[in-house]
Structures are given as structure tokens and as C-alpha cells.
Amino acid sequence: MKQLLLSGFLALFLCISFQLQAAPEAAVAMPDSYSAQVSEQVLNSGGNAVDAAIAAQFVLAVTLPEAGNIGGGGFMTIYKGGETDFLDYREVAPKKAHKDMYLDKNGEVIPYLSLYGILSSGVPGTVDGMWQAHKKYGSKTWQSLLAPAIKLAQEGFIVHPALKSNINWRIDSFNSKGIKVNFAKYFSSAQTSKIFKQPELAETLKRISSHGRDGFYRGQTAKIISQFMKDNGGIINEHDLASYQSKWRKPIVKNWRDYTVITAPPPSSGGIAILQWLTMYDLVKGDKTYEHNSLEYMHSLAEIGKRVFADRAEYLGDPDFINVPVASLLDQNYLSQRAKEISLDKISISEQVAPGLEESRDTTHFSIVDKWGNAVSNTTTINYTFGSGVIVEGAGFILNDEMDDFSAKAGVANVFGALGGTANEIQPNKRMLSSMSPTILLKNNQVNMVTGSPGGTTIISSVYQSILNSIEFNMSAKSAVNTPRFHHQLWPKDVIEHYAGIEQATLSSLSGKGYTLKQREFGDLQLISTVNGKYQAASQQGNAHRGVALVIK
Ligand code: DON
């Protein structure tokens, strides 16, 4: 175990010292040292980017319980052998779910029901997702990719202070809200810098290792889950589990400047939002030069954000249930018209920013490039920090609270302040709208950037700003992830959330213009970028972060 800790520190050291080294062959940007170490080992032993991603996903289910998971879902954007691909392993609503399931008899939303506890979970997609990714692209054995996670669950891992502090925060907040979940029973014994073991989770991972997807969706694990649901008033049953299917979709692929952006299609809103934001940015800016995080820059991007989020609330949802007008939303003429509405002098009135087409706190991300130039950009989630707060007893994993990403009632915001209507209402087997935006940028058909972040709706701002920071402002990977960011999403009205570190004069001018400024940190960018023809890898730094980035020779 000591060895693991040492390797963690070594990885951190390597991250700093190798960042600028010549002729790298591969790179990873990971949310913790265990996933960094394991993905590096997989790549060094001849595995490809997808192999490394699968091993990392299972390790994070053990070492980053806030967000890493087998009880949640996610999206994987892939560039492999010169082809683009996208894996949607998003959770779906259980078959017994219905549109009004979170409303009381007066039609009001029951506080927290979609966010905490057993009714907040969608049917998990992660294990099927990894299984499908392995079937299509894996080169290492499935068992070898599960082995590191099983070891870490069985023998334990050393608890990072950030994990301990998140556990304490979560337990306190459940207690203060009077929410009865079994989270503390499983996690209160974790102590900073001490070994923490998860024996039930180890057994579940072993069944997944031996039986593949059936080790989770059928047999003993499925029985444990459905019995636990029955005993505790949940609605996910064996049929929901057996019939879960992740889906291969066409990613959104669109040119922006000299780059090909490969990003997440619906049921993510992220890809469309990022491309709308980048495209309108160029249209609004025109020939002007903006300084980074200046008044003009922040106002223009906030104005664009109003329009992006008006469209998101109206048009976006699960493409298997509704017709999402992707091409129209990304059409150059449409975006030019939208951009023309923006004035550099004044804020548009939020109530008047309508969807534009004519009628006709947890997730985690990692980025990988292998020595063959293949890339994986993967964002995975159980939604809010530690998901529903419910651990499946006997199987040892945390259930997601992804149902909160649906619109429980038109006009009522979810935990990320996102509004929605019929496009994102609850229906059995439907995927809830997401903001997860795993993105890859190519330049001259070579991987140039791999980027992504957690953060609910702020994911979109973290990702598009990581792109602008790198490309528009020529920042190193390290600066691109650490420089202060900001976010505006139409509602709450004229609120810009921002990191500390933006110039006071700019903040005063924004407030003079009518914005309300709220200082808050969001996201955890994991970025691989290309600077002077070489990869740089960077994980966002700071007390709340524990990422490790490596450029591997
Ligand atoms: O899919 C989504 O958009 C959300 N469930 C993501 C949640 C998230 O990023 C929480 N992280 N801080």
C-alpha cells in the first residue's frame, strides 16, 4: 500500500517535471493519482486509449466515490484509427417512472425527492458502457482491466484529504436536511491518509470481471439490487437491469476555425452548446481583439450563454424520444442571426430571450491520448456529489441521482438551476438531458486537444473556455485549466458565476452594467493540449482537486 502512495506522489512529481518534455508519445489527465497510475500502466504495457479508459473508469469507482462509479453513467468521445465515435452509457428512467413522480397532490415538486434517496436513481449504464467499449475497441483482456480496481477495493487505498472533507460535508448536509440515506454507514469510517477498504464493492467488481455485463445486469448482482430496491421503496427491477443498453451514436463533428471539434451529441446538451458558444463568439467578436476575462469578453460570452441556454431548455432531450433539431441549432445562418441580437452595450432582458428556432457538485472527467494518436475523452457521473447517497447493501456501490437531470416540472429548476419543459420530461426508459461534454479537437487530422470537466451546467463553460484559453489566448495546458473561469446560463437572471482572480475593475464594470456577480469555483478540467507541436497535460489544481496529469514518453 505504501508503494501505491509513493507512486501517487511520484505521479504528481512526474506531472510537474515532464510537462514540457520533448517528443511525448502519450498523455493522460486524470482526476486522481490512482487512475493516473493505472492508465499509465495500461498504456505502457501496450494497451490503447480505450483500454486505459476502461481500467481508469473502474478504478475511479473505488477511489473517487464522489463521482467515479459503476452505479451511474457517462459519455465517451473516441478518436480511434482515424475514425470518430461516441458511446452513450447514460442512465435511463426505470420502467415504473412517470412524468409526475416527483410532484405532490397539488402538483408541486417534493423537495429533494429527485435528488437524494432511492427514487432519485436512473438505471445505471456504466458497466454496459465499458463492456461495449471493450467489445469494439479493447485490446487487453477484460479481466486485466478490472484487476487494479478489484485490488484497490479489496486491499484498500489511501484516503486523500479532499475525499475525507467531501465525505464530512455530505454527511453534515444530509443530517441538516433530515435526509435518511445509508451513506454514513459505508463512508464515515474513511480517515485521511489511512487505508479504506470496500469488500462488498470488491465482490461486485469480481462478478463483473468474471461475467462481463451479466455480472452486473443479471445473476447475483441484479438480484441484490432489485431486492434492495423492493425492501427500500425503490422502483428499479431485474427487468430494468437486464434490458439496459448503452448506445453507439454519431458524435457531433463540426469545424471551428482550423479545428475539427468532435463532441457529445444528444442526450447531451454539451456538444451543441459548446459549438454554439464558440461559433457565436467568433461572430460577435468579428475583427475586434478581446483581452482574456475583460469586460467585453465576459459580457459577450454571457450574452451568448443566454441564447445557448434558452435553446437548451426548449429543444434538447433524449433523441430516441424527441426530435432534436441538431443541424438547425448549429446552422451558421441561424447562429449569425442570434449573434446579431447581441449588443456590446447592454444586457438583453432575460424574459425576452426566447428559444431561437422558428417552429418547424459531481461528475468526473478524464482525457487520454495513446502513442498511436488515438484519443478518449470520457465524462462519467452519478450526478450530485456521492449521487443519491444510497449504497446498494450487499453490492457496495453508490446509486446515482440522475433523475434530477430530468425536468420534474416545467419551469422548476433542478439542482444546477437548469430549466426544461416537455423535451426533457420523465418517460420510462428515456435518458435525462445532460451537460457532459467530453470533447476532442483535431487539427490536420491529428489529435490537438482532449478536454472535459464535471460541474453540471457549468461543464459547458469550463469546456468551451478551456478551448478558447488554449487556442484564442495561446495558454499552456496548465494555465488553460487554472485561469479563472466564469459562467452564465440565462437563469438566474443576469447572474455571472466566476472564480476569484478576475480583475476587480472588470467585475465592477460588469456589475455597473447590471450583472449580479457570484464568486464560486466550479469544474475540474482535465486537459491534454498541443503547444508548439508537443502534448501538454494538465489537471486543474487547488485544494478541492486531486488530479494528476502525465505526458508519457
Ligand atoms: O449529466 C449532467 O449534466 C449532470 N448529471 C452532471 C453532474 C455534474 O457534473 C456534477 N458535478 N459537479
Side-chain angles (χ1 to χ4, degrees):
M1 197 66 251
K2 251 191 196 156
Q3 246 178 346
L4 263 183
L5 184 64
L6 279 177
S7 330
F9 287 132
L10 183 66
L12 199 62
F13 169 74
L14 289 175
C15 151
I16 294 156
S17 55
F18 279 98
Q19 202 144 25
L20 290 169
Q21 250 190 350
E25 293 197 339
V28 299
M30 290 282 156
D32 79 353
S33 62
Y34 295 103
S35 51
Q37 189 191 2
V38 165
S39 51
E40 183 193 16
Q41 275 162 5
V42 173
L43 293 175
N44 278 342
S45 67
N48 64 38
V50 176
D51 291 317
I54 295 167
Q57 171 85 39
F58 284 115
V59 163
L60 290 166
V62 179
T63 61
L64 198 110
E66 297 99 317
N69 68 82
I70 54 171
F75 298 136
M76 188 184 285
T77 305
I78 300 171
Y79 183 67
K80 177 106 184 9
E83 303 287 334
T84 65
D85 211 344
F86 183 82
L87 178 61
D88 165 0
Y89 59 100
R90 183 75 164 160
E91 301 90 327
V92 297
K95 298 201 182 4
K96 286 198 178 134
H98 58 90
K99 187 165 107 23
D100 298 333
M101 65 185 279
Y102 299 116
L103 305 185
D104 64 16
K105 56 181 184 327
N106 301 320
E108 300 301 329
V109 171
I110 301 168
Y112 303 129
L113 201 60
S114 65
L115 189 60
Y116 304 124
I118 202 144
L119 283 177
S120 64
S121 305
V123 183
T126 297
V127 176
D128 186 67
M130 295 307 108
W131 182 244
Q132 300 306 337
H134 185 257
K135 266 203 338 209
K136 193 160 175 184
Y137 293 114
S139 71
K140 295 272 177 187
T141 65
W142 175 250
Q143 286 77 10
S144 72
L145 300 177
L146 263 296
I150 294 172
K151 192 167 184 327
L152 286 160
Q154 192 159 287
E155 295 175 15
F157 70 97
I158 292 182
V159 173
H160 192 284
L163 170 55
K164 180 62 185 164
S165 127
N166 284 337
I167 290 172
N168 288 348
W169 164 78
R170 186 72 283 181
I171 292 173
D172 290 350
S173 108
F174 282 146
N175 288 343
S176 69
K177 293 184 171 83
I179 286 161
K180 302 257 176 296
V181 284
N182 63 357
F183 178 71
K185 176 168 161 191
Y186 275 79
F187 285 94
S188 59
S189 65
Q191 297 304 332
T192 302
S193 305
K194 295 268 170 18
I195 290 179
F196 180 63
K197 299 181 184 175
Q198 298 170 87
E200 287 180 359
L201 179 58
E203 293 309 308
T204 303
L205 290 167
K206 281 185 203 165
R207 288 191 289 276
I208 296 168
S209 173
S210 305
H211 306 292
R213 86 153 246 144
D214 286 353
F216 186 86
Y217 295 94
R218 292 177 190 274
Q220 196 181 345
T221 312
K223 279 206 174 68
I224 297 173
I225 299 169
S226 52
Q227 191 58 47
F228 179 75
M229 285 280 155
K230 259 192 209 144
D231 294 346
N232 293 283
I235 57 173
I236 297 177
N237 58 31
E238 284 183 60
H239 182 48
D240 284 311
L241 293 165
S243 60
Y244 178 82
Q245 279 186 324
S246 48
K247 298 205 167 169
W248 290 104
R249 299 190 190 274
K250 277 199 170 42
I252 294 181
V253 180
K254 192 172 187 290
N255 291 340
W256 174 73
R257 301 191 183 174
D258 297 342
Y259 298 84
T260 307
V261 180
I262 308 163
T263 188
S268 177
S269 60
I272 291 173
I274 283 164
L275 281 162
Q276 285 192 329
W277 229 311
L278 292 172
T279 309
M280 282 196 266
Y281 173 74
D282 282 355
L283 289 164
V284 170
K285 193 185 85 151
D287 298 335
K288 299 183 281 298
T289 308
Y290 282 162
E291 278 188 31
H292 185 250
N293 286 354
S294 60
L295 170 67
E296 301 73 24
Y297 181 72
M298 291 179 70
H299 171 68
S300 302
L301 289 169
E303 278 290 307
I304 295 168
K306 282 189 186 328
R307 286 148 183 90
V308 168
F309 271 84
D311 283 354
R312 182 189 191 277
E314 181 70 16
Y315 302 119
L316 302 191
D318 183 344
D320 297 339
F321 283 72
I322 60 158
N323 181 20
V324 182
V326 179
S328 312
L329 290 167
L330 294 178
D331 179 75
Q332 195 71 18
N333 291 331
Y334 169 64
L335 295 174
S336 303
Q337 285 310 317
R338 290 291 257 179
K340 275 191 199 134
E341 296 164 16
I342 294 173
S343 152
L344 291 186
D345 301 325
K346 59 178 197 320
I347 304 179
S348 315
I349 298 164
S350 302
E351 289 77 358
Q352 293 173 4
V353 180
L357 289 185
E358 287 175 21
E359 266 331 304
S360 55
R361 228 179 247 244
D362 224 300
T363 298
T364 191
H365 176 87
F366 55 79
S367 299
I368 305 175
V369 180
D370 69 21
K371 63 181 172 189
W372 298 284
N374 305 311
V376 165
S377 185
N378 188 86
T379 313
T380 184
T381 190
I382 41 178
N383 195 26
Y384 213 51
T385 312
F386 302 110
S388 61
V390 175
I391 292 90
V392 178
E393 300 199 4
F397 69 88
I398 304 181
L399 282 165
N400 69 81
D401 58 344
E402 222 72 63
M403 293 296 283
D404 192 63
D405 275 348
F406 279 116
S407 169
K409 182 180 173 182
V412 177
N414 74 359
V415 71
F416 299 109
L419 297 172
T422 41
N424 190 32
E425 73 186 7
I426 302 171
Q427 289 181 51
N429 217 27
K430 186 177 177 186
R431 284 161 155 84
M432 51 299 277
L433 183 62
S434 174
S435 301
M436 291 187 288
S437 317
T439 297
I440 298 169
L441 268 69
L442 307 181
K443 192 169 184 182
N444 303 324
N445 295 321
Q446 304 258 323
V447 171
N448 184 276
M449 272 181 78
V450 188
T451 183
S453 175
T457 45
T458 65
I459 291 174
I460 296 166
S461 291
S462 292
V463 173
Y464 88 75
Q465 285 173 43
S466 75
I467 296 172
L468 287 178
N469 291 345
S470 305
I471 292 171
E472 172 88 335
F473 298 105
N474 296 313
M475 289 184 198
S476 66
K478 206 169 152 189
S479 302
V481 299
N482 290 314
T483 200
R485 300 192 293 276
F486 58 94
H487 174 72
H488 174 66
Q489 60 177 39
L490 183 59
W491 298 104
K493 189 176 168 65
D494 302 333
V495 169
I496 294 183
E497 296 182 299
H498 66 92
Y499 271 69
I502 292 177
E503 278 187 23
Q504 194 49 51
T506 306
L507 296 178
S508 303
S509 310
L510 284 165
S511 132
K513 237 181 161 62
Y515 288 105
T516 302
L517 294 151
K518 289 215 166 122
Q519 192 181 311
R520 175 168 90 86
E521 303 207 342
F522 53 83
D524 184 32
L525 273 166
Q526 305 295 337
L527 172 69
I528 298 170
S529 64
T530 307
V531 178
N532 299 329
K534 290 172 191 146
Y535 289 137
Q536 292 189 359
S539 295
Q540 193 171 328
Q541 296 299 302
N543 284 342
H545 303 275
R546 52 190 194 266
V548 171
L550 300 163
V551 175
I552 305 161
K553 273 188 75 102

Coordinates of all heavy atoms in Angstrom, one line a residue, residues 90 361-363 381 383 402 405 416 434-436 454-456 459, ligand 1:
R90 N -25.4 6.6 -20.7 CA -26.2 7.4 -19.8 C -27.3 6.5 -19.2 O -27.8 5.6 -19.8 CB -26.9 8.5 -20.6 CG -27.8 9.5 -19.9 CD -27.0 10.5 -19.1 NE -27.8 11.6 -18.7 CZ -27.4 12.4 -17.7 NH1 -26.2 12.2 -17.1 NH2 -28.1 13.5 -17.4
R361 N -22.8 19.3 -8.0 CA -21.5 19.4 -7.5 C -20.9 18.0 -7.4 O -20.7 17.6 -6.4 CB -21.6 20.0 -6.2 CG -20.6 21.0 -6.1 CD -20.6 21.6 -4.9 NE -21.0 22.8 -4.5 CZ -20.3 23.7 -3.9 NH1 -19.2 23.4 -3.8 NH2 -20.7 24.8 -3.5
D362 N -21.8 15.9 -8.8 CA -20.4 15.5 -9.0 C -20.3 14.6 -10.2 O -21.1 13.7 -10.3 CB -19.7 14.9 -7.8 CG -18.3 15.5 -7.6 OD1 -17.5 15.4 -8.4 OD2 -18.2 16.1 -6.5
T363 N -19.3 14.8 -10.8 CA -19.1 14.1 -12.0 C -17.6 14.1 -12.1 O -16.9 14.8 -11.4 CB -19.7 14.9 -13.2 OG1 -21.1 15.0 -12.9 CG2 -19.4 14.4 -14.5
T381 N -20.6 10.0 -14.4 CA -21.2 10.7 -13.3 C -22.2 9.8 -12.5 O -22.7 8.9 -13.1 CB -22.0 12.0 -13.8 OG1 -22.4 12.7 -12.7 CG2 -23.2 11.6 -14.7
N383 N -24.2 12.0 -10.9 CA -24.8 13.3 -10.8 C -24.2 14.0 -9.6 O -23.1 14.4 -9.6 CB -26.4 13.2 -10.7 CG -27.0 14.6 -10.9 OD1 -26.4 15.5 -11.6 ND2 -28.2 14.8 -10.4
E402 N -29.5 10.6 -10.9 CA -29.5 11.2 -12.3 C -30.9 11.7 -12.6 O -31.1 12.5 -13.5 CB -29.0 10.3 -13.3 CG -28.1 10.9 -14.4 CD -26.8 11.3 -13.8 OE1 -26.0 10.4 -13.4 OE2 -26.4 12.5 -13.8
D405 N -31.8 15.2 -13.3 CA -31.5 15.9 -14.6 C -32.7 16.0 -15.5 O -32.6 16.7 -16.5 CB -30.3 15.2 -15.3 CG -29.0 15.7 -14.8 OD1 -28.9 16.7 -14.1 OD2 -28.0 15.0 -15.2
F416 N -28.8 22.1 -10.6 CA -27.9 23.0 -11.3 C -28.6 24.3 -11.9 O -28.0 25.0 -12.7 CB -27.2 22.3 -12.4 CG -26.4 21.1 -11.9 CD1 -26.8 19.8 -12.1 CD2 -25.3 21.3 -11.1 CE1 -26.1 18.7 -11.6 CE2 -24.6 20.2 -10.6 CZ -25.0 18.9 -10.8
S434 N -28.3 15.9 -20.4 CA -27.0 16.0 -19.7 C -26.3 17.3 -20.2 O -26.5 17.7 -21.4 CB -26.2 14.8 -20.0 OG -24.9 15.0 -19.4
S435 N -25.3 17.7 -19.4 CA -24.4 18.8 -19.9 C -23.0 18.2 -20.1 O -22.1 19.0 -20.5 CB -24.3 19.9 -18.9 OG -25.6 20.5 -18.7
M436 N -22.8 16.9 -19.9 CA -21.5 16.4 -20.0 C -21.0 16.5 -21.4 O -21.7 16.2 -22.4 CB -21.5 14.9 -19.6 CG -21.7 14.7 -18.1 SD -21.5 13.0 -17.6 CE -23.0 12.3 -18.3
P454 N -16.3 18.0 -14.9 CA -17.6 17.9 -14.2 C -18.1 19.3 -14.0 O -17.5 20.3 -14.4 CB -17.2 17.3 -12.9 CG -15.8 17.7 -12.6 CD -15.1 17.9 -14.0
G455 N -19.3 19.4 -13.3 CA -19.8 20.7 -12.9 C -21.2 21.0 -13.3 O -21.6 22.2 -13.4
G456 N -22.0 20.0 -13.7 CA -23.4 20.2 -14.1 C -23.4 21.1 -15.3 O -22.6 21.0 -16.2
I459 N -20.3 22.7 -16.8 CA -19.4 21.9 -17.6 C -19.2 22.6 -19.0 O -18.0 22.7 -19.5 CB -20.0 20.5 -17.9 CG1 -20.0 19.7 -16.6 CG2 -19.2 19.8 -19.0 CD1 -20.7 18.3 -16.8
Ligands
DON1 O1 -25.2 15.0 -16.8 C1 -25.1 16.1 -16.3 O2 -25.1 17.1 -16.9 C2 -25.0 16.1 -14.7 N1 -25.6 14.9 -14.1 C3 -23.6 16.2 -14.4 C4 -23.4 16.4 -12.9 C5 -22.1 17.0 -12.5 O3 -21.3 17.4 -13.4 C6 -21.9 17.2 -11.1 N2 -20.5 17.8 -10.9 N3 -20.1 18.6 -10.2

